Amino acid sequence: MSAPPAALPERRDRSTSPLRRWLLEGLADRSAQYSGPHARPAPEHEGKPWWRVMCLTGVDYFSTLGYQPAVAVVAAGLISPIATLVLVVLTLAGALPIYRRVARESPHGEGSVAMLERLLSYWWSKLLVLVLLGFAVTDFLITITLSTADATAHVVENPLVGGALHGWEVPLTCALVVLLGVVFLMGFAEAIGIAVVVVGVFLLLNLVVVVGALHRVLTEPTRVTDWGDALLTQHGNPLIIVGIALIVFPKLALGLSGFETGVAVMPLVRGAQGDTHKDPAGRIAGARKLLTTAALIMSGFLVTSSFVCTLLIPLEQFGPDGQANGRALAYLAHEQFGPVLGTAYDLSTIVILWFAGASAMAGLLNLVPRYLPRYGMAPNWARAVRPMVLVFTALGILITVVFDASVDAQSGAYATGVLVLITSASIAVTLSARAKGQRAATIGFGTIAVVFVYTTVTNMIERPEGLKIGLMFVAAIFVVSFASRALRSTELRITAVHLDKTARRIVREAHEEDPEATIRLVANEPGRRDRREYEEKELEERLDHHIPSGDVVIFVEITVDDPSNFETDLYVLGEERHGYRILRARSATVPNAIAALLLHLRDVTGRVPHVYFEWDEGSPATNLARFLLFGVGEVAPVTREVLREAEPDRDRRPAVHVG
């Protein structure tokens, strides 16, 4: 009777199909144990140097240089360099401080979504997370499709190809998306070493191209004066130019991507010797260096690339049929250095853009299992990597076809997803600072949050297709989540049962008084909890169920705490009150808790227990809704169904009586 509580078993896949077993490999593993597909989080003192992990995030963040300068010119025209400068100020003075704080307050890769989840409770926290997940999925999926579409653009527009692949953009992009899915189906491991090489080569080539372009601008000073004259001619006043830049810079929000990914990979950063799980100070410091260095590098490239592309590339080349559309720096590389270095730049860009899709896929495979299975809001197979890869690959192909593999057409949706995540992070750190009484930090972060709210709303108004796509994903997640929650409601849902000292004594005494007698539990909804309540309840159950007067009954009382939770441990407290033996516990749902307690008692005593209920009043539909939303309702039949699913052997299944 004193044995430590064992975790209750999970349902296992009984399929004998090799294909099904391959697809569902790893299904029994808890998703929260993973920091990436097929990768467990490193111990606190292990991991990689922060600068190497920065390259892993950089395949997403830095790869936007492949298309960001062209998108900026298309969005802002001649004002692009000034609007980009505004974006850089917002990056360094806004997004960077926000995510440095997020890194400190969620050091295990949870990100700002988890911070907001902790600030709310009950169903409100889950609903908020579902909304944010919808936009996060928008961000990551569009990262895959937009990056691969731009990789295709670099292939099609390469002079060595000679236009032979024009018209094949959609099939080529779909092929890259499928290839990405195949890699993950075979078992993808995040290779930081490969990321270091890919990012290092890409940044070096960008440095060569940008420095070469800046040299051209310096040696041809008329280009700067011509640009300035064109600006004044077009807009008339420097103040108007600055005002327009402040208005249009939200269109350039693609350059803000990468911060959420930077926080997500924190578990891979090497910690210090004194780090603990609760206080990984070394890992936090490394992650903050990662975020700061990446932001500084990217800001420098954003400003200089936007400047040289605006001054050196004719505006007509940024049009839908122009050679600089989605590949401005590649255009300059070919123009300045010829086809050899230009092709090398194209190849480097294609690799990093495709690898950015891999980073986004890894982010999706981290994000969905981190929340939805824990909420009971994903099918059981969502814990396996390969089925989710198939789902995301299919969605990527669908998005590619819908947007005709266009970088410009997808940029609005991408920016919307990025901005919603950053805005939620700014609100999260503002609320955190306020809760801790940090007045100056609250005002500072609150001001940044207002700017990001403006930026997000402006982007949604300017490019409503991004909001529409994000809301479509939100709606899809809501439908799938609540359907899954309903279908999984009769799972056992209790991961382990723990009896305190008094509870163990009550069970032991009931077993030892008559080793052959049945252990009988009476389910009681606690009210006044006085002597009369227990006397009347015992008499009623003995009469209704013909329980012999000599048999001991134990009352079981389950109180619902947070019905929005799904999987929890059950902590049972024993109590003797007015001469009656009582087992009490708090749980998200009454039927599942009682079923778990019955199975635990069976295992520790070796006898099949019986439980006694009375029928609840009310319509079945109302009681079903009460159970799904509030964890109560028609308790008896749901308890029996949970037991039936958890224990297929009738002889070992605890008995449920209703009167």
Side-chain angles (χ1 to χ4, degrees), residues 270-330:
R270 179 182 297 165
Q273 284 299 319
D275 280 7
T276 63
H277 183 78
K278 291 185 178 180
D279 183 25
R283 180 163 290 167
I284 292 172
R288 297 177 82 175
K289 291 177 184 177
L290 179 159
L291 293 168
T292 303
T293 305
L296 290 172
I297 292 173
M298 190 62 178
S299 295
F301 274 116
L302 283 176
V303 172
T304 54
S305 64
S306 175
F307 180 68
V308 298
C309 289
T310 303
L311 268 63
L312 298 178
I313 302 177
L315 289 179
E316 61 269 15
Q317 293 295 338
F318 293 100
D321 298 323
Q323 295 182 9
N325 181 33
R327 54 185 299 276
L329 288 176

Side-chain angles (χ1 to χ4, degrees), residues 359-593:
S359 177
M361 181 71 84
L364 284 168
L365 296 175
N366 282 327
L367 197 65
V368 172
R370 187 182 294 277
Y371 293 100
L372 295 187
R374 178 160 56 90
Y375 294 169
M377 291 181 170
N380 201 36
W381 50 260
R383 287 177 174 169
V385 169
R386 293 187 179 106
M388 297 307 297
V389 170
L390 292 175
V391 171
F392 294 137
T393 301
L395 289 173
I397 293 173
L398 177 62
I399 292 172
T400 297
V401 173
V402 169
F403 285 103
D404 199 29
S406 169
V407 174
D408 295 334
Q410 297 179 73
S411 61
Y414 184 30
T416 299
V418 170
L419 285 172
V420 168
L421 289 181
I422 295 181
T423 301
S424 68
S426 66
I427 294 172
V429 297
T430 301
L431 295 176
S432 173
R434 183 175 181 272
K436 295 178 180 179
Q438 299 168 340
R439 182 178 177 83
T442 302
I443 294 174
F445 286 128
T447 303
I448 297 171
V450 170
V451 174
F452 275 117
V453 168
Y454 157 76
T455 306
T456 304
V457 172
T458 302
N459 179 77
M460 290 177 176
I461 294 173
E462 292 284 342
R463 292 182 284 186
E465 72 278 3
L467 177 60
K468 293 176 183 177
I469 294 171
L471 291 178
M472 287 173 59
F473 278 109
V474 170
I477 285 180
F478 265 75
V479 171
V480 172
S481 296
F482 283 100
S484 174
R485 178 83 179 214
L487 292 172
R488 297 185 62 192
S489 61
T490 55
E491 289 183 12
L492 195 55
R493 294 174 55 177
I494 302 297
T495 51
V497 177
H498 309 266
L499 304 183
D500 73 351
K501 183 178 179 180
T502 304
R504 290 198 301 271
R505 178 175 59 79
I506 288 173
V507 174
R508 183 179 64 250
E509 290 176 351
H511 175 61
E512 291 175 349
E513 285 176 8
D514 185 356
E516 302 300 323
T518 300
I519 295 179
R520 305 181 189 274
L521 302 184
V522 172
N524 181 51
E525 183 177 356
R528 303 180 309 274
R529 304 194 77 232
D530 55 14
R531 181 182 296 276
R532 182 176 179 182
E533 176 182 332
Y534 292 106
E535 286 178 348
E536 292 179 350
K537 185 67 176 180
E538 180 183 15
L539 178 61
E540 177 184 358
E541 297 303 321
R542 287 189 183 275
L543 290 175
D544 286 347
H545 302 288
H546 309 289
I547 300 175
S549 58
D551 284 10
V552 175
V553 297
I554 301 173
F555 288 95
V556 57
E557 298 176 347
I558 306 296
T559 304
V560 176
D561 47 12
D562 184 353
S564 68
N565 288 333
F566 191 74
E567 292 181 336
T568 57
D569 283 8
L570 186 70
Y571 294 89
V572 182
L573 307 178
E575 179 182 1
E576 293 196 23
R577 188 180 183 90
H578 309 301
Y580 295 94
R581 301 169 181 177
I582 307 169
L583 299 178
R584 304 179 63 196
R586 299 181 67 84
S587 176
T589 169
V590 174
N592 308 71

Side-chain angles (χ1 to χ4, degrees), residues 163-315:
L165 295 177
H166 276 293
W168 288 83
E169 288 84 356
V170 172
L172 285 174
T173 304
C174 289
L176 287 176
V177 173
V178 170
L179 179 61
L180 180 67
V182 170
V183 171
F184 276 85
L185 287 175
M186 299 304 294
F188 180 85
E190 292 162 327
I192 294 180
I194 297 176
V196 171
V197 175
V198 170
V199 169
V201 171
F202 181 72
L203 291 182
L204 178 61
L205 289 173
N206 274 277
L207 183 63
V208 170
V209 173
V210 170
V211 170
L214 287 173
H215 180 264
R216 283 182 59 189
V217 171
L218 292 175
T219 55
E220 303 174 20
T222 55
R223 290 186 179 272
V224 177
T225 56
D226 290 345
W227 171 64
D229 292 341
L231 272 179
L232 292 175
T233 301
Q234 194 174 86
H235 301 290
N237 189 303
L239 293 178
I240 294 177
I241 293 172
V242 173
I244 294 174
L246 292 173
I247 293 173
V248 302
F249 88 88
K251 297 180 180 180
L252 282 60
L254 298 181
L256 288 170
S257 68
F259 284 101
E260 196 75 30
T261 308
V263 174
V265 299
M266 277 189 67
L268 301 177
V269 177
R270 179 182 297 165
Q273 284 299 319
D275 280 7
T276 63
H277 183 78
K278 291 185 178 180
D279 183 25
R283 180 163 290 167
I284 292 172
R288 297 177 82 175
K289 291 177 184 177
L290 179 159
L291 293 168
T292 303
T293 305
L296 290 172
I297 292 173
M298 190 62 178
S299 295
F301 274 116
L302 283 176
V303 172
T304 54
S305 64
S306 175
F307 180 68
V308 298
C309 289
T310 303
L311 268 63
L312 298 178
I313 302 177
L315 289 179

